[in-house]
Amino acid sequence: MIERVFLGSGSPLLPAVASWVVDQHAETTVGMIDCRGHVVVLPTARAGRRLKTLLVKAAGDSGLVPPEVMTPAGLLGRFLVPDRTPADAMSVQMAWR
């Protein structure tokens, strides 16, 4: 189930996301923050790399299993399962022409 969370507009977005994700899992196990139950969708891969850096910083001395971070294009591929075989290279080329 998708749950939207409003983090406010008073601070930069990525540090707020990192703090929220770590806070959600801070009490799961001692010394370990397991965030693999979350999927974070960001507009660019660069933002995803920055978020991972901020997650490590927010986790501090605890071990961290990061959430799945992807772009909107990756999200489509994750939830839309094709039921037919994809077109071969020649068919794709002809379709574009």
Side-chain angles (χ1 to χ4, degrees):
M1 181 169 129
I2 296 175
E3 177 186 346
R4 293 182 186 182
V5 177
F6 181 71
L7 299 174
S9 59
S11 64
L13 178 65
L14 290 178
V17 170
S19 296
W20 183 83
V21 170
V22 168
D23 289 345
Q24 291 297 305
H25 298 286
E27 300 173 357
T28 53
T29 58
V30 177
M32 188 65 160
I33 299 173
D34 187 1
C35 302
R36 70 180 121 200
H38 282 85
V39 175
V40 179
V41 182
L42 296 170
T44 63
R46 181 178 179 187
R49 290 189 300 272
R50 178 70 179 141
L51 177 65
K52 288 179 184 177
T53 302
L54 292 168
L55 283 169
V56 170
K57 186 184 286 186
D61 293 335
S62 300
L64 175 71
V65 178
E68 188 173 354
V69 180
M70 62 179 59
T71 61
L75 185 67
L76 180 65
R78 178 173 180 191
F79 292 109
L80 182 64
V81 179
D83 59 349
R84 298 184 183 172
T85 58
D88 62 354
M90 179 64 93
S91 299
V92 170
Q93 204 173 43
M94 290 173 58
W96 277 106
R97 288 182 188 204

